[in-house]
Each structure stands twice: as C-alpha cells, then as structure tokens.
Amino acid sequence: MKAFQFVEWQRPGELREVPIPEPGPGEVLIKVGGAGACHSDLHLLEAPAGPMALPFTLGHENAGWVEEMGSGTTGFARGDAVVVYGPWGCGLCMNCRRGMENYCQTPGRPSPGGLGGNDGGMAEYLLVPSTRFLIPLGDLDPRDAAPLTDAGLTSYHAVKRSAHLLGPGSTAVVIGAGGLGQMAIQVLRALCDATTVVAVDTSADKLEIATSMGADVALVSGEDAVRRIRDITGGLGAELVLDLVGIAPTLAMAAEVSRVLGHLTIVGLGNASLPVSFHGPALECSVAAPFWGSIPELIEVISLARSGKIEMKVEHFSLDQAAHAYELLHHGKIRGRAVITPHG
Ligand code: NAD
Ligand code: ZN
Ligand code: ZN
C-alpha cells in the first residue's frame, strides 16, 4: 500500500510503498478515511533530530472504517465508522484507567501512531493496538471527522479545564486561529457562551474565519492587541489566555494579558520559554502546558460535532498531494485543516 512517511530529519515526508499490516491478537486494522496534517508534524519534520527511529508513517489525527478485527477483539464490526484516539497508553496505570492515556505513567509506553515512531494514518490502512482507542462516529464522515481527534480534542481539553473561570463578564483569549484555534473558539462558544472570546492572529484571513466561528473580537497579533485586550477587560486581563503558537512574542503577549488568578495555557510547540516569577505573569495565574486530551473527552468532542456545535473547516488532499499539503501548511495557506484522504 502507499504510505506518506517521515524518512529523514529536516527533509519533507515521502510517499513510499509498504506492506499492509496484519492485525495480531487484540489489534484492529482501519481503512483510513482521513488523516489530518497537524502543525506538530511540521515541528517534527523540521527538527534537527529526535529520539525516534525513522522511517514511520505520518498522521496522528485519524478516522476511517473498521477493516479487520484481530483475534479476541469484540464490540466493532467491519465497515463501522470510527475515530482513533491518538495518545496510546498502557491501559493499566492509574491515569490510563481514568481514560487519560495522554498522561500514561508507564515507562516505555507505546508511542502515538504517526508521531513517535509507530506508523500513523497517512496510508491506505492503519494498525490500531486496541479497540480502547476506537470511538464510533455515527453518521459523521471520517474524511471530515479526523481532525476532531487532535485539533478538536486538544483544544477541548485546554478549554474545559478552565471552564469554571469563564462565566458572564469573563474574557478568553485565543492566540493562533489555525486548526486548533478555530476549534478552541467553537468549543468556548459551546461550553462557555457567556464569555467574551478574543481571537489573535497575524493573518487577516484567519481572523475573518475566527469571527465567523464565534469570536467576539478579532485582533492582529502585536502590541496593539495587548492594549485592546487590556481595554476590553478594564485593565485586569483575561481569565483564560490560550497560546496556540508558543513562540517568544506570543508568550510575552500571553503574560501581558493574563489576569490575577487566571489561567495561561501553552499548547503551541513554538519552543520558546516563558519566565514565571513573582513579577509576571499576573499574581497567582496558573501556567500549564497540556498535551492532547482523554478518551472520555474525545467522546464528548464527537458528541459536540454530531450535534453540529463544532465543525472543522477541512481541505481534502490525496496521498500523492500530502507533501504539497504540508508545504501549504508551512506557508500558512491552509485555512482550517488539511486532511489526507487515501481512498478518495
Ligand atoms: P496551524 O498552522 O493550523 O495554526 C497556527 C496559527 O497560528 C496560524 O493561523 C498562524 O497564522 C498563527 N500564528 C503564527 N504566528 C502567530 C503570531 N505571532 N501571533 C498570532 N498568531 C500566529 O497550527 P495548528 O495545527 O493549529 O497547531 C498549533 C500549535 O499547537 C502548533 O505549535 C502545534 O504543534 C501545537 N499542538 C500542540 C498540541 C498539544 O497537545 N500540546 C497538540 C496539537 C498541536
Ligand atoms: Zn497534532
Ligand atoms: Zn498507562
């Protein structure tokens, strides 16, 4: 089968011919409907080197149809539409038993397919290690639903952990209105409708999309945005600041618009650091860098999508066009999420 693989550090991915995997006991083979192209893949492809062995197939945002169940598996049948939970854990430690396999505590846990060395979904078929990681999609199309598993789930988790701060009169700032940011804005609308949502981006196009998705205010990134957010919040700053970029200027902006007792949440992997001391961010503002989300949260994300409350703006590409899709993402030319659809 054809697979789009990460072959060499600091080189674009490559389309290669690989064998179709065979599901062993407990495993499931998925016919891939869609595999989203996340900005994290670009960070990885552009990194000087890393701990994982190459090559492996990219694609950690996956959805499709059950193709073949390995021996001993039950609960699903051939043709069922499913999304695949990405951060595979051991299933047995305390965090995994709570459904938080993103925070599996077992050393040597399996790496997520498409990110850490195991093969991902940018191929005709994807091997999933357990039915634990499959969530039924109902009538949603896997080609459109794939990004819910990361852009959707990561944003959902990052918003939900701060939802108690976001009542009437509150403000939430979303820095970076790309794939994750557009989801975060819609999740804020769905879970915390009373809050004022401020979107910040460098691209006028993204700001227009952010507004169409429910942002109350859309601001071009920079010093002016800081002044505007201070005005909107009466000089106090925002209850939640979500930085979905994570570079030095966005972290500095996030610190400047944070509020006493607020949350400053760093999701973007821009690789800069934020100094935290008595002098900033605001007093008793909690700073956290969450990774992905839990299985129960993914079930909630799918429910929100099925009820039409959140919807990813997707652009479909064939496997042959995968390198081109990443190039567009690199240049900020993907309006929502690029999804690779190996079967058309
Ligand atoms: P994307 O490319 O779709 O969106 C990034 C957005 O940031 C774009 O709209 C871009 O215009 C905007 N941007 C760039 N520079 C900016 C600036 N200075 N100020 C404001 N906006 C700016 O990327 P994505 O797939 O949504 O991913 C966003 C980030 O989240 C990436 O760094 C990715 O690696 C990371 N990520 C983290 C997790 C996690 O679990 N923590 C999960 C998925 C993605
Ligand atoms: Zn990702
Ligand atoms: Zn575990």
Side-chain angles (χ1 to χ4, degrees):
M1 66 172 182
K2 283 197 282 189
F4 186 70
Q5 294 202 312
F6 182 11
V7 178
E8 212 180 309
W9 297 98
Q10 294 183 305
R11 304 259 313 173
E14 269 178 41
L15 196 60
R16 303 175 88 212
E17 196 61 34
V18 300
I20 297 178
E22 278 178 31
E27 299 176 336
V28 182
L29 188 68
I30 299 297
K31 179 177 175 181
V32 178
C38 175
H39 208 114
S40 300
D41 299 330
L42 283 181
H43 293 311
L44 196 61
L45 288 162
E46 289 164 5
M52 62 286 271
L54 305 181
F56 65 86
T57 304
L58 287 163
H60 58 271
E61 279 188 347
N62 303 308
W65 302 272
V66 172
E67 175 73 11
E68 193 183 337
M69 306 279 290
S71 64
T73 52
T74 56
F76 291 88
R78 187 161 195 263
D80 284 354
V82 290
V83 287
V84 181
Y85 177 77
W88 302 335
C90 72
L92 293 172
C93 71
M94 181 64 106
N95 287 348
C96 281
R97 284 175 191 247
R98 291 185 169 131
M100 296 188 289
E101 301 217 10
N102 50 326
Y103 296 138
C104 175
Q105 296 150 291
T106 301
R109 61 174 291 181
S111 66
L115 256 191
N118 280 320
D119 287 330
M122 290 194 183
E124 291 166 59
Y125 297 92
L126 165 68
L127 190 64
V128 176
S130 167
T131 51
R132 261 194 347 272
F133 306 130
L134 304 181
I135 314 292
L137 256 184
D139 49 8
L140 293 179
D141 185 335
R143 285 168 290 206
D144 299 330
L148 295 171
T149 64
D150 179 16
L153 175 57
T154 303
S155 307
Y156 184 79
H157 173 69
V159 167
K160 195 179 175 190
R161 64 188 292 284
S162 303
H164 59 288
L165 301 178
L166 300 175
S170 66
T171 305
V173 176
V174 176
I175 304 174
L180 269 70
Q182 293 171 21
M183 278 281 123
I185 291 163
Q186 294 177 70
V187 169
L188 281 161
R189 279 281 78 97
L191 300 191
C192 320
D193 198 34
T195 200
T196 298
V197 177
V198 180
V200 182
D201 205 291
T202 44
S203 144
D205 191 31
K206 297 287 173 63
L207 289 174
E208 203 182 306
I209 297 169
T211 306
S212 75
M213 290 183 163
D216 299 294
V217 184
L219 302 174
V220 176
S221 205
E223 270 314 304
D224 236 28
V226 171
R227 272 192 291 277
R228 286 288 306 280
I229 294 165
R230 294 211 145 270
D231 283 352
I232 292 164
T233 58
L236 296 176
E239 277 77 2
L240 170 64
V241 185
L242 266 185
D243 185 349
L244 305 168
V245 185
I247 58 177
T250 59
L251 288 174
M253 183 179 358
E256 282 186 83
V257 300
S258 67
R259 172 191 290 242
V260 170
L261 293 169
H263 282 181
L264 192 170
T265 305
I266 305 165
V267 176
L269 307 183
N271 252 344
S273 297
L274 171 73
V276 177
S277 74
F278 191 79
H279 306 287
L283 292 172
E284 221 171 311
C285 172
S286 302
V287 176
F291 172 62
W292 229 321
S294 70
I295 294 174
E297 285 170 334
L298 181 55
I299 294 171
E300 291 173 1
V301 168
I302 300 303
S303 298
L304 275 182
R306 290 187 69 181
S307 67
K309 295 206 168 107
I310 58 172
E311 189 178 3
M312 194 80 231
K313 189 184 259 314
V314 299
E315 295 169 52
H316 293 149
F317 296 84
S318 67
L319 267 176
D320 299 331
Q321 298 168 322
H324 178 57
Y326 278 112
E327 213 178 294
L328 292 174
L329 182 64
H330 174 81
H331 291 291
K333 297 269 163 53
I334 298 290
R335 302 189 77 221
R337 201 58 149 186
V339 173
I340 312 304
T341 57
H343 296 274

PDB file of all heavy atoms in Angstrom, residues 88-97 100-101 103-106 109-110 132, ligand 3:
ATOM      1  N   TRP A  88      -1.705   6.706  22.584  1.00  0.00           N
ATOM      2  CA  TRP A  88      -1.853   5.339  23.086  1.00  0.00           C
ATOM      3  C   TRP A  88      -1.050   5.135  24.362  1.00  0.00           C
ATOM      4  O   TRP A  88       0.154   5.402  24.397  1.00  0.00           O
ATOM      5  CB  TRP A  88      -1.385   4.334  22.011  1.00  0.00           C
ATOM      6  CG  TRP A  88      -2.142   4.469  20.718  1.00  0.00           C
ATOM      7  CD1 TRP A  88      -3.404   4.969  20.548  1.00  0.00           C
ATOM      8  CD2 TRP A  88      -1.686   4.104  19.397  1.00  0.00           C
ATOM      9  NE1 TRP A  88      -3.766   4.930  19.218  1.00  0.00           N
ATOM     10  CE2 TRP A  88      -2.737   4.403  18.491  1.00  0.00           C
ATOM     11  CE3 TRP A  88      -0.508   3.536  18.907  1.00  0.00           C
ATOM     12  CZ2 TRP A  88      -2.626   4.177  17.124  1.00  0.00           C
ATOM     13  CZ3 TRP A  88      -0.395   3.309  17.536  1.00  0.00           C
ATOM     14  CH2 TRP A  88      -1.457   3.618  16.659  1.00  0.00           C
ATOM     15  N   GLY A  89      -1.713   4.645  25.428  1.00  0.00           N
ATOM     16  CA  GLY A  89      -1.021   4.366  26.688  1.00  0.00           C
ATOM     17  C   GLY A  89      -1.033   2.876  26.976  1.00  0.00           C
ATOM     18  O   GLY A  89      -1.392   2.062  26.121  1.00  0.00           O
ATOM     19  N   CYS A  90      -0.658   2.528  28.249  1.00  0.00           N
ATOM     20  CA  CYS A  90      -0.571   1.109  28.604  1.00  0.00           C
ATOM     21  C   CYS A  90      -1.956   0.543  28.928  1.00  0.00           C
ATOM     22  O   CYS A  90      -2.158  -0.671  28.885  1.00  0.00           O
ATOM     23  CB  CYS A  90       0.365   0.930  29.804  1.00  0.00           C
ATOM     24  SG  CYS A  90      -0.327   1.531  31.373  1.00  0.00           S
ATOM     25  N   GLY A  91      -2.914   1.411  29.292  1.00  0.00           N
ATOM     26  CA  GLY A  91      -4.261   0.950  29.629  1.00  0.00           C
ATOM     27  C   GLY A  91      -4.388   0.476  31.066  1.00  0.00           C
ATOM     28  O   GLY A  91      -5.496   0.187  31.521  1.00  0.00           O
ATOM     29  N   LEU A  92      -3.291   0.387  31.804  1.00  0.00           N
ATOM     30  CA  LEU A  92      -3.326  -0.244  33.130  1.00  0.00           C
ATOM     31  C   LEU A  92      -2.918   0.677  34.275  1.00  0.00           C
ATOM     32  O   LEU A  92      -3.279   0.429  35.421  1.00  0.00           O
ATOM     33  CB  LEU A  92      -2.413  -1.477  33.139  1.00  0.00           C
ATOM     34  CG  LEU A  92      -2.890  -2.623  32.255  1.00  0.00           C
ATOM     35  CD1 LEU A  92      -1.820  -3.720  32.186  1.00  0.00           C
ATOM     36  CD2 LEU A  92      -4.205  -3.198  32.764  1.00  0.00           C
ATOM     37  N   CYS A  93      -2.135   1.736  34.002  1.00  0.00           N
ATOM     38  CA  CYS A  93      -1.709   2.616  35.099  1.00  0.00           C
ATOM     39  C   CYS A  93      -2.908   3.472  35.552  1.00  0.00           C
ATOM     40  O   CYS A  93      -3.968   3.457  34.937  1.00  0.00           O
ATOM     41  CB  CYS A  93      -0.539   3.499  34.658  1.00  0.00           C
ATOM     42  SG  CYS A  93      -1.007   4.786  33.482  1.00  0.00           S
ATOM     43  N   MET A  94      -2.733   4.206  36.632  1.00  0.00           N
ATOM     44  CA  MET A  94      -3.845   4.999  37.194  1.00  0.00           C
ATOM     45  C   MET A  94      -4.406   5.984  36.169  1.00  0.00           C
ATOM     46  O   MET A  94      -5.617   6.075  35.976  1.00  0.00           O
ATOM     47  CB  MET A  94      -3.353   5.736  38.445  1.00  0.00           C
ATOM     48  CG  MET A  94      -4.407   6.571  39.117  1.00  0.00           C
ATOM     49  SD  MET A  94      -5.761   5.565  39.748  1.00  0.00           S
ATOM     50  CE  MET A  94      -5.413   5.633  41.497  1.00  0.00           C
ATOM     51  N   ASN A  95      -3.524   6.739  35.496  1.00  0.00           N
ATOM     52  CA  ASN A  95      -4.030   7.738  34.542  1.00  0.00           C
ATOM     53  C   ASN A  95      -4.746   7.072  33.375  1.00  0.00           C
ATOM     54  O   ASN A  95      -5.794   7.546  32.925  1.00  0.00           O
ATOM     55  CB  ASN A  95      -2.890   8.633  34.034  1.00  0.00           C
ATOM     56  CG  ASN A  95      -2.432   9.611  35.091  1.00  0.00           C
ATOM     57  OD1 ASN A  95      -3.098   9.785  36.111  1.00  0.00           O
ATOM     58  ND2 ASN A  95      -1.296  10.251  34.871  1.00  0.00           N
ATOM     59  N   CYS A  96      -4.200   5.971  32.865  1.00  0.00           N
ATOM     60  CA  CYS A  96      -4.866   5.268  31.763  1.00  0.00           C
ATOM     61  C   CYS A  96      -6.234   4.772  32.203  1.00  0.00           C
ATOM     62  O   CYS A  96      -7.207   4.863  31.458  1.00  0.00           O
ATOM     63  CB  CYS A  96      -4.024   4.100  31.275  1.00  0.00           C
ATOM     64  SG  CYS A  96      -2.667   4.604  30.197  1.00  0.00           S
ATOM     65  N   ARG A  97      -6.327   4.238  33.421  1.00  0.00           N
ATOM     66  CA  ARG A  97      -7.633   3.728  33.889  1.00  0.00           C
ATOM     67  C   ARG A  97      -8.642   4.854  34.058  1.00  0.00           C
ATOM     68  O   ARG A  97      -9.839   4.622  34.080  1.00  0.00           O
ATOM     69  CB  ARG A  97      -7.457   2.947  35.187  1.00  0.00           C
ATOM     70  CG  ARG A  97      -6.856   1.577  34.908  1.00  0.00           C
ATOM     71  CD  ARG A  97      -6.558   0.846  36.185  1.00  0.00           C
ATOM     72  NE  ARG A  97      -5.761  -0.336  35.936  1.00  0.00           N
ATOM     73  CZ  ARG A  97      -6.215  -1.584  36.114  1.00  0.00           C
ATOM     74  NH1 ARG A  97      -7.434  -1.805  36.512  1.00  0.00           N
ATOM     75  NH2 ARG A  97      -5.407  -2.601  35.878  1.00  0.00           N
ATOM     76  N   MET A 100      -7.121   8.883  30.816  1.00  0.00           N
ATOM     77  CA  MET A 100      -6.123   9.895  30.427  1.00  0.00           C
ATOM     78  C   MET A 100      -4.868   9.201  29.911  1.00  0.00           C
ATOM     79  O   MET A 100      -3.795   9.287  30.518  1.00  0.00           O
ATOM     80  CB  MET A 100      -5.781  10.795  31.619  1.00  0.00           C
ATOM     81  CG  MET A 100      -6.957  11.607  32.112  1.00  0.00           C
ATOM     82  SD  MET A 100      -6.487  12.816  33.362  1.00  0.00           S
ATOM     83  CE  MET A 100      -6.124  11.776  34.744  1.00  0.00           C
ATOM     84  N   GLU A 101      -5.015   8.494  28.779  1.00  0.00           N
ATOM     85  CA  GLU A 101      -3.859   7.751  28.256  1.00  0.00           C
ATOM     86  C   GLU A 101      -2.814   8.713  27.707  1.00  0.00           C
ATOM     87  O   GLU A 101      -1.661   8.331  27.489  1.00  0.00           O
ATOM     88  CB  GLU A 101      -4.322   6.720  27.219  1.00  0.00           C
ATOM     89  CG  GLU A 101      -5.326   5.730  27.816  1.00  0.00           C
ATOM     90  CD  GLU A 101      -5.191   4.300  27.327  1.00  0.00           C
ATOM     91  OE1 GLU A 101      -4.201   3.976  26.658  1.00  0.00           O
ATOM     92  OE2 GLU A 101      -6.102   3.503  27.635  1.00  0.00           O
ATOM     93  N   TYR A 103      -1.551  10.866  29.454  1.00  0.00           N
ATOM     94  CA  TYR A 103      -0.613  11.003  30.564  1.00  0.00           C
ATOM     95  C   TYR A 103      -0.279   9.638  31.173  1.00  0.00           C
ATOM     96  O   TYR A 103      -0.147   9.505  32.387  1.00  0.00           O
ATOM     97  CB  TYR A 103      -1.170  11.955  31.630  1.00  0.00           C
ATOM     98  CG  TYR A 103      -1.339  13.388  31.117  1.00  0.00           C
ATOM     99  CD1 TYR A 103      -2.469  14.135  31.432  1.00  0.00           C
ATOM    100  CD2 TYR A 103      -0.360  13.981  30.317  1.00  0.00           C
ATOM    101  CE1 TYR A 103      -2.623  15.438  30.958  1.00  0.00           C
ATOM    102  CE2 TYR A 103      -0.504  15.273  29.839  1.00  0.00           C
ATOM    103  CZ  TYR A 103      -1.639  15.996  30.163  1.00  0.00           C
ATOM    104  OH  TYR A 103      -1.776  17.284  29.691  1.00  0.00           O
ATOM    105  N   CYS A 104      -0.150   8.628  30.318  1.00  0.00           N
ATOM    106  CA  CYS A 104       0.238   7.282  30.776  1.00  0.00           C
ATOM    107  C   CYS A 104       1.529   7.379  31.589  1.00  0.00           C
ATOM    108  O   CYS A 104       2.472   8.073  31.204  1.00  0.00           O
ATOM    109  CB  CYS A 104       0.440   6.368  29.564  1.00  0.00           C
ATOM    110  SG  CYS A 104       1.062   4.741  30.016  1.00  0.00           S
ATOM    111  N   GLN A 105       1.533   6.655  32.734  1.00  0.00           N
ATOM    112  CA  GLN A 105       2.685   6.755  33.648  1.00  0.00           C
ATOM    113  C   GLN A 105       3.691   5.626  33.470  1.00  0.00           C
ATOM    114  O   GLN A 105       4.686   5.564  34.192  1.00  0.00           O
ATOM    115  CB  GLN A 105       2.162   6.716  35.102  1.00  0.00           C
ATOM    116  CG  GLN A 105       1.282   7.890  35.467  1.00  0.00           C
ATOM    117  CD  GLN A 105       0.248   7.517  36.517  1.00  0.00           C
ATOM    118  OE1 GLN A 105      -0.677   6.750  36.247  1.00  0.00           O
ATOM    119  NE2 GLN A 105       0.404   8.053  37.708  1.00  0.00           N
ATOM    120  N   THR A 106       3.413   4.704  32.548  1.00  0.00           N
ATOM    121  CA  THR A 106       4.283   3.537  32.414  1.00  0.00           C
ATOM    122  C   THR A 106       5.492   3.855  31.541  1.00  0.00           C
ATOM    123  O   THR A 106       5.314   4.287  30.399  1.00  0.00           O
ATOM    124  CB  THR A 106       3.486   2.365  31.800  1.00  0.00           C
ATOM    125  OG1 THR A 106       2.385   2.087  32.659  1.00  0.00           O
ATOM    126  CG2 THR A 106       4.337   1.132  31.647  1.00  0.00           C
ATOM    127  N   ARG A 109       5.937   3.383  27.437  1.00  0.00           N
ATOM    128  CA  ARG A 109       4.576   3.300  26.879  1.00  0.00           C
ATOM    129  C   ARG A 109       4.662   3.339  25.358  1.00  0.00           C
ATOM    130  O   ARG A 109       5.620   3.875  24.799  1.00  0.00           O
ATOM    131  CB  ARG A 109       3.766   4.509  27.352  1.00  0.00           C
ATOM    132  CG  ARG A 109       4.414   5.817  26.873  1.00  0.00           C
ATOM    133  CD  ARG A 109       3.601   7.030  27.164  1.00  0.00           C
ATOM    134  NE  ARG A 109       2.396   7.050  26.369  1.00  0.00           N
ATOM    135  CZ  ARG A 109       1.501   8.024  26.415  1.00  0.00           C
ATOM    136  NH1 ARG A 109       1.689   9.043  27.220  1.00  0.00           N
ATOM    137  NH2 ARG A 109       0.436   7.991  25.675  1.00  0.00           N
ATOM    138  N   PRO A 110       3.613   2.783  24.676  1.00  0.00           N
ATOM    139  CA  PRO A 110       3.660   2.850  23.210  1.00  0.00           C
ATOM    140  C   PRO A 110       3.628   4.298  22.748  1.00  0.00           C
ATOM    141  O   PRO A 110       2.991   5.139  23.391  1.00  0.00           O
ATOM    142  CB  PRO A 110       2.378   2.124  22.784  1.00  0.00           C
ATOM    143  CG  PRO A 110       1.540   1.975  24.005  1.00  0.00           C
ATOM    144  CD  PRO A 110       2.400   2.175  25.207  1.00  0.00           C
ATOM    145  N   ARG A 132      -9.843  -0.110  22.574  1.00  0.00           N
ATOM    146  CA  ARG A 132      -9.962   1.021  23.519  1.00  0.00           C
ATOM    147  C   ARG A 132      -9.845   2.362  22.814  1.00  0.00           C
ATOM    148  O   ARG A 132     -10.377   3.361  23.264  1.00  0.00           O
ATOM    149  CB  ARG A 132      -8.791   0.955  24.516  1.00  0.00           C
ATOM    150  CG  ARG A 132      -9.061   0.364  25.812  1.00  0.00           C
ATOM    151  CD  ARG A 132      -8.026   0.581  26.903  1.00  0.00           C
ATOM    152  NE  ARG A 132      -6.712   1.091  26.678  1.00  0.00           N
ATOM    153  CZ  ARG A 132      -5.639   0.365  26.369  1.00  0.00           C
ATOM    154  NH1 ARG A 132      -5.732  -0.948  26.208  1.00  0.00           N
ATOM    155  NH2 ARG A 132      -4.454   0.928  26.225  1.00  0.00           N
TER     156      ARG A 132
HETATM  157 ZN    ZN B   3      -0.716   3.886  31.305  1.00  0.00          ZN
END
